[in-house]
Amino acid sequence: MMSEYIMYYAIIAGISIIVYWINYLRKSKLNNTYIKTHIIAEITTAGILIYSAFTESTVLIPLSFGMLLYATINIIGEYIDKKEIKMVVILIINIIILIFLMNFL
């Protein structure tokens, strides 16, 4: 059985991703194909995070955490380029928490 912390983190991370992109889409116009495919990948990650937490899948949780880790590393460069230190710090904290929780899978 998976730790409740892992399940809660997966649900919170999945919901946070969806909320983030809804707010992003409300505020901006999408002209960039990369951003469109990135959003699809992140929404897929969010869906798998939430689904795997509710089903307590021992196969999907590690997969979804790997997807989240990749997405976090992938997007952190954009925030470094924009000099948005607050988001960079949040993403680094997310990476640290993910690595910590992955030790308990």
Side-chain angles (χ1 to χ4, degrees), residues 28-102:
S28 66
K29 296 177 185 171
L30 290 181
N31 297 326
N32 187 336
T33 303
Y34 167 75
I35 292 293
K36 291 176 186 176
T37 57
H38 184 78
I39 292 171
I40 292 168
E42 287 211 15
I43 296 298
T44 303
T45 299
I48 293 174
L49 279 163
I50 294 167
Y51 177 77
S52 64
F54 282 117
T55 61
E56 296 185 16
S57 172
T58 57
V59 174
L60 289 179
I61 284 284
L63 174 71
S64 65
F65 273 29
M67 291 172 71
L68 181 58
L69 183 61
Y70 175 79
T72 303
I73 292 168
N74 189 27
I75 199 68
I76 201 167
E78 183 174 331
Y79 289 109
I80 290 171
D81 289 343
K82 291 180 180 178
K83 295 181 176 35
E84 292 187 29
I85 302 303
K86 188 176 177 182
M87 271 307 283
V88 171
V89 170
I90 290 169
L91 293 171
I92 289 172
I93 291 169
N94 184 49
I95 290 170
I96 292 167
I97 292 170
L98 274 170
I99 291 170
F100 176 77
L101 289 176
M102 286 173 128

